[in-house]
Amino acid sequence: MHKHIRTALATAAAVALTGGLMSLSTGSALAADSVHHHEADFNHDGYGDVAYSAGWATVGGKKGAGQIVALYGSANGMNAAARKTVSQNTTGVPGTAETNDGFGWVSAYGDFNSDGFDDLAVSADHEDVDGDTDGGTVLIMWGSQSGLTGGTTIKDPAVSSHDRWGRTLAAGDFDGDGKDDLAIGSSASTIYVYKGGITSAGTSGGRYTLKPPIMSGGGAGPITLTAGDVNNDGKTDLVVDGYETDSDYGWNTNYYVPGSASGLDGSSATELKRGVITGIGDVNGDGFGDIVTGQSWDPSKDGSPSVPESVTGGKINIIYGSAGGPATTAEISQDTGSVPGSSERGDAFGSELTLGDINGDGYQDLAIGAAGENLNGVVNAGAVTVLYGSPEGLNTGSGSQYFAQSTAGVPGTDEKDDQFGTEVKLTDVTGDGKSDLTVGAWGENDFNGSLTYLPSNGTKLTTTGARSLSATSVGVSTDGYPQLGGNAAN
């Protein structure tokens, strides 16, 4: 089995400490959720859309070539029929499906050509390019009235200086000019930003670089990029996760880089709390984006050094936004207040995060994946916790929700290594102003993967109208291990 482990899944199989350095297995960067400007709407019909990876799907007999599935929202929610499944063998998409390219594993949406339709940037960061092993490629699929169509390659400007072009992506208006920009990471610490005004010919409104204080080369470079306006100045800020350079162990951590009229500048980076997966949204309604990051791994139990501030079962760190940027912090685990469940080794609580307003009260709510949760003796069945925003921040008292495949009304059953909650994404797919939840379970049916849709009833998430989408139902081959639901576009 050619299994590409997600960096966020802090189970024994996913994260190992080697010589103190957090070593991430070959799978690649994750698409963390980022409430950076608006929800994706590829066909501009007023219903939110989502895009989920099947990044190791077999295409044209090429195992691990990869696909991505765009699911279009509607008044009736999300279903398998209203979608477009894309590979590099799809007409109009640059490139050709090849073994272990991992196309679609990483993606980000934004209106890069300012035509009113959201576009989708997609990478295949393991693609061999002109003899360069794992050189990587990035392309943009263009939104239109009929949804995503065609594609344009964003050429790597420095092929010889790094590998894995497109290892991580993020979109936002970093300079506040009203146009969405695209940030692209690789194996190097340098991040390239393509200014809004990207055309079908591959030109852009300009290009610049930033270099935050993270390790470069090999398996280093930015692990995830997350965009959002933390200081409420109308310019998108960027949170960069990578390996720090100022410690003996090179632990992974996050750096905040504020947007400005001239864009992003790595020299202004400020270190934050640790955690691979990050989301940005206003959970307390004060107008500033709050940074939520999942520190999902356990402390070491063999006497070797642990990642600082690790807790058993995992936790989330909340860094509240302010006019001056990141300010006060708080943390939540399954042992906090009335948060459902309890903290147990290997839960991986915080291995995925997503923010959205489920009840329309103006406060961003948070869904948290715990893909390593064991339930009723079933190992790595997985679960999702939902905490609601309030003037005081995330409510850890009454009102939280907890979903697993054993929850009444949720399709499916708890099974070993399903890892329900591998990915979570809050999006208003019904157009009613309330966010609905989709949940990835990349291990479902021997790593075919699946998606579960849980709609909002206007007050909370409900299992009424819940649906399960299998790999086959959305046009993904089950030859090999496609891992549908491993990532969603951020």
Side-chain angles (χ1 to χ4, degrees):
M1 175 178 177
H2 191 70
K3 181 178 175 185
H4 293 255
I5 303 296
R6 293 163 52 77
T7 59
L9 189 54
T11 64
V15 176
L17 299 178
T18 305
L21 178 67
M22 176 168 285
S23 174
L24 301 180
S25 168
T26 60
S28 57
L30 304 195
D33 183 76
S34 54
V35 184
H36 48 79
H37 55 304
H38 55 250
E39 295 180 332
D41 187 359
F42 303 124
N43 52 10
H44 196 55
D45 62 356
Y47 301 104
D49 306 322
V50 297
Y52 267 90
S53 66
W56 307 106
T58 299
V59 178
K62 305 295 185 180
K63 293 183 182 296
Q67 293 174 299
I68 192 164
V69 182
L71 294 150
Y72 302 120
S74 72
N76 297 317
M78 195 178 71
N79 64 78
R83 49 88 180 169
K84 181 164 186 174
T85 302
V86 179
S87 74
Q88 287 183 287
N89 281 358
T90 300
T91 301
V93 174
T96 302
E98 297 168 318
T99 301
N100 293 332
D101 277 355
F103 175 80
W105 189 244
V106 175
S107 60
Y109 66 83
D111 184 4
F112 302 118
N113 58 2
S114 300
D115 65 353
F117 297 94
D118 279 312
D119 313 305
L120 186 66
V122 185
S123 73
D125 68 316
H126 289 280
E127 179 162 312
D128 298 343
V129 180
D130 296 330
D132 179 15
T133 301
D134 289 342
T137 190
V138 176
L139 62 87
I140 294 177
M141 294 192 64
W142 302 104
S144 71
Q145 191 170 1
S146 59
L148 293 175
T149 183
T152 298
T153 298
I154 305 300
K155 293 184 178 179
D156 185 345
V159 174
S160 62
S161 65
H162 56 241
D163 287 320
R164 299 186 64 188
W165 177 242
R167 183 189 187 204
T168 187
L169 305 168
D173 184 6
F174 303 118
D175 55 9
D177 66 354
K179 300 176 182 178
D180 282 337
D181 312 314
L182 177 63
I184 303 177
S186 68
S187 65
S189 57
T190 299
I191 298 166
Y192 287 80
V193 180
Y194 288 75
K195 293 169 64 80
I198 301 172
T199 71
S200 59
T203 62
S204 69
R207 188 186 74 211
Y208 62 92
T209 63
L210 67 146
K211 192 172 183 178
I214 60 174
M215 290 186 183
S216 187
I223 302 168
T224 57
L225 301 174
T226 307
D229 190 358
V230 176
N231 56 10
N232 196 26
D233 66 352
K235 303 171 187 66
T236 306
D237 310 315
L238 189 69
V239 174
V240 180
D241 179 75
Y243 300 122
E244 63 190 9
T245 59
D246 58 355
S247 77
D248 292 336
Y249 296 101
W251 306 117
N252 100 293
T253 194
N254 291 294
Y255 295 89
Y256 165 78
V257 183
S260 72
S262 57
L264 301 167
D265 183 350
S267 67
S268 62
T270 302
E271 188 169 358
L272 301 174
K273 293 284 187 178
R274 302 174 197 280
V276 175
I277 297 301
T278 297
I280 301 174
D282 185 5
V283 300
N284 59 1
D286 64 357
F288 301 101
D290 306 310
I291 302 168
V292 185
T293 187
Q295 188 165 336
S296 59
W297 45 83
D298 298 314
S300 169
K301 63 178 181 180
D302 63 2
S304 62
S306 295
V307 180
E309 301 182 18
S310 299
V311 302
T312 297
K315 65 178 180 178
I316 61 166
N317 298 305
I318 308 163
I319 305 106
Y320 290 100
S322 72
T328 58
T329 65
E331 64 181 57
I332 297 171
S333 73
Q334 289 185 95
D335 288 340
T336 302
S338 298
V339 173
S342 60
S343 296
E344 299 162 320
R345 193 167 190 86
D347 281 351
F349 181 81
S351 56
E352 279 298 345
L353 305 168
T354 181
L355 288 146
D357 190 355
I358 295 166
N359 52 15
D361 64 356
Y363 305 102
Q364 291 281 297
D365 310 311
L366 178 71
I368 307 162
E373 186 86 46
N374 299 343
L375 297 170
N376 301 314
V378 180
V379 176
N380 294 336
V384 175
T385 299
V386 180
L387 303 178
Y388 286 82
S390 75
E392 291 75 40
L394 293 170
N395 185 357
T396 58
S398 61
S400 57
Q401 293 184 278
Y402 186 83
F403 296 98
Q405 288 183 293
S406 53
T407 302
V410 175
T413 57
D414 293 336
E415 296 171 316
K416 184 178 184 293
D417 290 330
D418 276 356
Q419 298 173 37
F420 183 81
T422 305
E423 178 65 287
V424 286
K425 182 69 175 174
L426 283 167
T427 308
D428 178 16
V429 299
T430 60
D432 64 355
K434 318 293 195 304
S435 294
D436 312 294
L437 180 66
T438 49
V439 180
W442 76 328
E444 185 83 43
N445 295 330
D446 193 23
F447 290 89
N448 287 337
S450 70
L451 303 174
T452 299
Y453 164 68
L454 299 172
S456 169
N457 66 6
T459 303
K460 61 182 181 180
L461 294 175
T462 179
T463 59
T464 303
R467 298 168 194 148
S468 179
L469 284 65
S470 69
T472 301
S473 74
V474 296
V476 171
S477 169
T478 55
D479 178 67
Y481 305 94
Q483 300 171 27
L484 172 68
N487 280 326
N490 66 339

